[in-house]
């Protein structure tokens, strides 16, 4: 049991070590990286199965009993996130084997990616709020370098915005942790949960909650703190964009959900209504921002913002149904959004551009790529029977049950606009005639694609097809995923089980 | 520009500083010191050698790539936790040898972890110093 909790952190660490020792040997690097990603996914699935069977797992680092030492704890929500992290890691690493240039590989692309995965998994598994900060930093430092690696002008510009905003967020997070420690005298989240519910100064607790809301809000890219995201996510190579889009903001969402279900539930009339309001604005501004963009990855980046609104909406409702909706939405979103970014990379390979105005006619040359795009795109918009439909249905039903008509109306309206955006990409990239070539017949095969070796083609399309299949499968067999999300949400709304698991676990 | 004085002094200072860094590493468990400071002192020793003799000579004196040092260090630190898992104990719990070793005192996984930190710090610092000097 204990080993399973440590493995999702230890596996990427060992992989990084192996990669550092094999520095400069490209072929070996790629094999180790792939093997590490497969091992991480296996460890994560093992953890999820174990948590499903035995309930919440906890272990104390170094044998120091909670609340004094650092606890690693996995409830269902955390375990689901670790599995998603492992899955995206594998998909993106396979994809990058054919898409990352030699220069970036030589300067440590693979070790950095595994460092990033280690930070992400650590953040999902820790039960200590300061340790959460440390994992955030592990993740951010890797992401800073990944974003800037290659040193193209646009990349550096994006990195500066990304680094500046994230440092601000980290500073706020750290001050909030400091105040929390000064007030409650503990950093263990289970212990904090007990002490804060008995706190004699509820206004101070709410003030701290707001600090955490801003700190995690920046990381999760909610309204009005999302500006760094569309300014930076379209600059690095597409594999990096994809893993950032799939995982990083979701770590912010995870932290928000964790903190606002476990620690700050004293005054939900204020805090959670505020979160609901933020959720509504996030959805609307994100989707409107996407509507005016003309660059493929920028459109997708703005849609991340918009979708974050849905995930946060379930948290604002603070019911089992709402949180289950959020968790289902996160599962759906991570898979679909990573996939859309990966498809955008293939489109770039084929069409030579990310600009909608410069693309066109891809349906004629690659009809099935168009289908592979259409599956995640329609899923994102929420068309049945794909995964996005069930995710939205759950959230909307939860909203109606709680009598929050406004946010439900906003969510439905934003879905429609999402569909508009996806149709726009479809029409511009796949449907319309290639620009500048209206008079002459379109070439049967684009030149760039002919240079792709069959192995590269497999490495690029394999992850895309696998993730698209997963989206369809989640849509068709939604019941098991629904049951998983609902049980995870029940654990979140009844933190007594979490607290007991952490504090009762003796080393 | 090579300075004869610095060059001669470094030849004596380098081993002394490395010895001092090991001393810091070993006393770090209960007194000020430890892997981090030890690694920094060791890296200043090589940095000094680099200033006196040039980057190429310093790289030759180090014999391994700084990235390899980082890898080995991280590996040792991770292994110190891995031993616990093999022994069925919580990750990173301190395991100690039953008998004390002369000079060193009691040794166990905390020292192993610190040695890992020492190598990582040495590797990172030298990676930065060497890259900046080569620019």
């Amino acid at each position: 049991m204990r080993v399973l909790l440590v493995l999702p952190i230890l596996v990427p660490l060992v992989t990084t070590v192996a990669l550092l020792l094999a520095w400069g040997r490209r072929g070996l690097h790629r094999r180790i990286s792939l093997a590490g990603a497969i091992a991480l996914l296996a460890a994560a699935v093992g953890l999820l199965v174990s948590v499903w069977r035995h309930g919440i797992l906890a272990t104390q680092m170094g044998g120091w009993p909670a609340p004094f030492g650092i606890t690693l704890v996995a409830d269902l929500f955390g375990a689901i996130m670790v599995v998603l992290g492992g899955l995206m890691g594998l998909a993106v690493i396979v994809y990058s084997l054919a898409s990352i240039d030699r220069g970036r590989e030589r300067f440590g692309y693979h070790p950095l990616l595994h460092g990033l995965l280690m930070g992400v998994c650590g953040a999902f598994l820790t039960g200590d709020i300061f340790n959460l900060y440390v994992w955030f930093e592990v993740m951010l430092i890797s992401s800073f370098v990944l974003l800037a690696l290659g040193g193209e002008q646009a990349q550096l510009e994006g990195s500066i915005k990304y680094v500046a905003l994230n440092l601000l967020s980290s500073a706020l997070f750290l001050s909030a942790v400091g105040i929390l420690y000064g007030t409650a005298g503990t950093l263990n989240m289970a212990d904090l949960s007990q002490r804060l519910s008995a706190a004699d100064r509820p206004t101070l607790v709410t003030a701290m909650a707001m600090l955490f809301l801003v700190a995690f809000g920046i990381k999760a890219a909610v309204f009005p703190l999302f500006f760094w995201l569309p300014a930076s996510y379209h600059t690095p190579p597409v594999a990096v964009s994809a893993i950032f889009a799939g995982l990083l903001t979701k770590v912010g969402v995870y932290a928000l959900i964790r903190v606002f279900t476990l620690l700050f539930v004293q005054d939900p009339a204020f805090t959670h209504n505020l979160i609901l309001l933020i959720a509504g604005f996030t959805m609307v501004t994100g989707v409107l921002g996407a509507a005016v963009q003309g660059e493929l990855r920028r459109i997708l980046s703005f849609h991340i913002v918009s979708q974050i609104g849905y995930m946060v909406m379930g948290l604002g409702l603070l019911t089992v149904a709402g949180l289950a909706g959020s968790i289902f939405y996160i599962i759906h979103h991570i898979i679909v959004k990573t996939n859309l970014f990966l498809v955008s990379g293939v489109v770039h390979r084929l069409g030579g551009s990310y600009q909608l105005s410069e693309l066109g006619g891809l349906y004629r040359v690659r009809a099935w790529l168009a289908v592979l795009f259409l599956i995640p795109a329609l899923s994102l918009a929420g068309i049945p029977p794909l995964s996005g439909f069930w995710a939205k249905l759950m959230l909307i039903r939860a909203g109606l049950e709680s009598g929050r008509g406004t946010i439900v109306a906003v969510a439905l309206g934003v879905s429609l606009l999402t569909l508009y955006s996806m149709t726009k990409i479809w029409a511009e990239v796949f449907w319309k005639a290639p620009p500048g070539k209206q008079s002459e017949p379109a070439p049967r095969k684009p030149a760039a694609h002919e240079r792709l070796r069959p192995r590269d083609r497999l490495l690029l399309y394999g992850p895309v097809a696998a993730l698209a299949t997963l989206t369809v499968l989640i849509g068709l067999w939604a019941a098991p995923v629904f049951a998983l999300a609902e049980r995870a949400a029940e654990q979140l709304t009844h933190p007594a089980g979490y607290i007991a698991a952490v504090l009762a676990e003796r080393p | 520009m090579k300075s004869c004085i610095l060059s001669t002094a470094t030849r004596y200072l380098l081993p002394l500083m490395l010895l001092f860094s090991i001393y810091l590493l070993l006393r770090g468990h209960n007194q000020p010191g430890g892997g981090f400071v030890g690694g920094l002192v060791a890296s200043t020793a090589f940095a000094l050698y680099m200033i006196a003799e040039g980057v190429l000579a310093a790289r030759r004196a180090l014999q391994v790539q700084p990235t390899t040092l980082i890898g080995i260090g991280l590996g040792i630190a991770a292994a110190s936790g891995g031993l616990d898992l093999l022994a069925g104990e919580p990750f990173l719990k301190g395991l100690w040898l039953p008998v004390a070793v002369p000079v060193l005192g009691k040794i166990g996984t905390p020292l192993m972890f610190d040695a890992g930190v020492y190598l990582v710090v040495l590797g990172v610092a030298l990676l930065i110093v060497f890259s900046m000097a080569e620019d």
Side-chain angles (χ1 to χ4, degrees):
Chain A
M1 295 305 116
R2 286 167 175 164
V3 180
L4 276 177
L5 272 167
V6 181
L7 276 184
I9 298 169
L10 206 53
V11 168
L13 177 63
V14 170
T15 313
T16 313
V17 170
L19 287 167
L20 283 172
L21 292 179
W23 194 267
R25 274 181 274 176
R26 181 164 168 269
L28 195 58
H29 246 200
R30 292 155 64 97
R31 277 189 211 113
I32 294 173
S33 183
L34 188 62
I38 293 170
L40 175 62
L41 181 59
V45 171
L47 178 67
L48 180 61
V49 170
S50 183
V51 173
W52 175 259
R53 287 211 187 120
H54 306 290
I56 300 174
L57 297 178
T59 179
Q60 317 296 349
M61 291 293 89
W64 304 101
F68 307 109
I70 292 170
T71 309
L72 286 190
V73 51
D75 61 351
L76 266 179
F77 181 40
I80 291 171
M81 298 303 287
V82 172
V83 170
L84 288 169
L87 194 64
M88 291 313 113
L90 181 59
V92 166
I93 283 169
V94 170
Y95 188 89
S96 34
L97 290 182
S99 69
I100 293 294
D101 52 289
R102 274 163 187 272
R104 285 193 173 87
E105 280 189 327
R106 206 157 60 83
F107 281 100
Y109 170 79
H110 289 290
L112 284 167
L113 202 57
H114 284 278
L116 182 82
L117 287 174
M118 177 171 74
V120 169
C121 290
F124 291 149
L125 287 177
T126 184
D128 182 284
I129 195 129
F130 182 74
N131 197 231
L132 179 66
Y133 170 80
V134 174
W135 288 121
F136 262 105
E137 290 305 299
V138 170
M139 178 183 95
L140 283 174
I141 288 171
S142 310
S143 72
F144 292 160
V145 187
L146 275 175
L147 196 61
L149 193 67
E152 291 161 25
Q153 197 181 356
Q155 269 189 300
L156 294 181
E157 190 201 331
S159 311
I160 287 170
K161 293 170 188 159
Y162 179 83
V163 171
L165 261 286
N166 274 296
L167 281 183
L168 177 69
S169 150
S170 295
L172 283 172
F173 183 9
L174 194 58
S175 3
V177 170
I179 299 173
L180 194 60
Y181 187 57
T183 319
T186 180
L187 291 169
N188 184 295
M189 289 204 264
D191 198 28
L192 273 174
S193 172
Q194 285 183 326
R195 296 203 186 192
L196 288 182
S197 59
D200 49 353
R201 282 177 293 178
T203 41
L204 188 61
V205 175
T206 310
M208 282 186 284
M210 290 303 102
L211 268 178
F212 277 107
L213 183 63
V214 175
F216 294 144
I218 293 177
K219 307 231 192 252
V222 297
F223 175 85
L225 309 163
F226 62 82
F227 296 100
W228 58 270
L229 192 150
S232 61
Y233 270 24
H234 64 286
T235 56
V238 75
V240 177
S241 289
I243 192 109
F244 281 22
L247 286 181
L248 293 199
T249 46
K250 260 53 75 182
V251 180
V253 175
Y254 167 85
L256 274 179
I257 292 182
R258 177 66 74 211
V259 164
F260 279 93
T261 54
L262 188 62
L263 303 185
F264 302 116
V265 283
Q266 292 79 17
D267 189 12
F270 174 67
T271 49
H272 289 72
N273 277 341
L274 182 65
I275 290 175
L276 211 55
L277 189 72
I278 290 174
F281 275 110
T282 309
M283 288 182 212
V284 174
T285 43
V287 86
L288 289 182
V292 297
Q293 294 296 328
E295 207 254 24
L296 195 46
R297 286 197 287 174
R298 271 180 170 263
I299 298 179
L300 295 176
S301 300
F302 270 104
H303 275 293
I304 301 175
V305 175
S306 164
Q307 309 282 312
I308 295 287
Y310 286 92
M311 298 168 214
V312 176
M313 169 185 164
L315 173 64
L317 296 172
L318 200 62
T319 58
V320 173
L323 284 167
S326 280
I327 294 168
F328 197 112
Y329 208 100
I330 292 175
I331 298 173
H332 140 76
H333 172 87
I334 290 183
I335 295 170
V336 160
K337 185 53 84 177
T338 308
N339 201 7
L340 281 172
F341 268 90
L342 295 182
V343 172
S344 82
V346 179
V347 166
H348 180 252
R349 269 303 247 281
L350 295 177
S353 173
Y354 288 110
Q355 293 294 339
L356 292 186
S357 55
E358 292 167 13
L359 290 163
L362 283 182
Y363 182 78
R364 207 173 302 177
V365 283
R366 288 283 175 275
W368 47 270
L369 177 68
V371 175
L372 282 181
F373 167 77
L374 210 56
I375 292 169
L378 291 182
S379 183
L380 194 74
I383 304 290
L386 298 160
S387 60
F389 169 72
W390 302 108
K392 282 189 176 146
L393 185 70
M394 282 170 77
L395 277 174
I396 283 162
R397 218 173 58 184
L400 288 178
E401 275 170 12
S402 312
R404 308 298 182 103
T406 323
I407 191 81
V408 169
V410 170
L412 287 172
V414 168
S415 283
L416 210 63
L417 286 171
T418 309
L419 187 61
Y420 158 75
S421 250
M422 291 301 127
T423 328
K424 184 171 86 177
I425 298 180
W426 165 265
E428 294 274 331
V429 173
F430 294 101
W431 204 246
K432 79 165 186 226
K437 292 174 189 155
Q438 276 88 348
S439 49
E440 57 196 89
R444 273 183 298 110
K445 275 189 178 179
H449 195 60
E450 281 171 332
R451 274 185 270 119
L452 270 186
R453 284 172 296 160
R455 199 184 64 134
D456 281 2
R457 220 174 294 174
L458 186 71
L459 291 175
L460 287 178
Y461 294 136
V464 173
L467 292 181
T469 316
L470 208 55
T471 314
V472 176
L473 286 181
I474 292 177
L476 294 180
W477 283 279
V481 186
F482 179 78
L484 189 69
E486 192 153 56
R487 213 160 120 183
E490 268 164 18
Q491 287 180 353
L492 285 177
T493 42
H494 301 97
Y498 181 94
I499 296 169
V502 171
L503 296 183
E505 162 72 25
R506 292 281 156 222
Chain B
M1 187 188 69
K2 237 172 157 180
S3 148
C4 178
I5 300 174
L6 184 62
S7 196
T8 317
T10 306
R11 206 164 301 158
Y12 294 99
L13 279 174
L14 178 70
L16 277 180
M17 287 171 88
L18 286 180
L19 249 162
F20 182 57
S21 76
I22 302 282
Y23 168 72
L24 280 176
L25 164 70
L26 291 178
R27 83 197 284 263
H29 192 64
N30 291 323
Q31 286 162 295
F36 193 88
V37 186
L40 279 182
V41 171
S43 67
T44 51
F46 283 101
L48 186 68
Y49 192 74
M50 185 198 80
I51 295 168
E53 308 283 343
V55 185
L56 269 179
R59 276 194 190 274
R60 258 203 308 276
L62 189 64
Q63 293 194 341
V64 286
Q65 289 291 326
T67 41
T68 316
L69 280 182
I70 302 175
I72 295 172
L74 271 179
I76 291 175
S80 76
L83 281 181
D84 288 309
L85 293 180
L86 290 182
E89 294 282 348
F91 190 58
L92 287 177
K93 182 175 174 148
L95 295 178
W96 300 92
L97 282 182
V99 285
V101 180
V103 183
L104 294 180
K106 280 189 94 175
I107 59 170
T109 49
L111 178 65
M112 196 173 156
F113 186 85
D114 245 5
V117 173
Y118 177 96
L119 290 177
V120 171
V121 172
L122 178 63
V124 171
L126 288 182
L127 187 67
I128 296 170
V129 171
F130 287 168
S131 326
M132 283 168 101
E134 275 164 355
D135 262 356

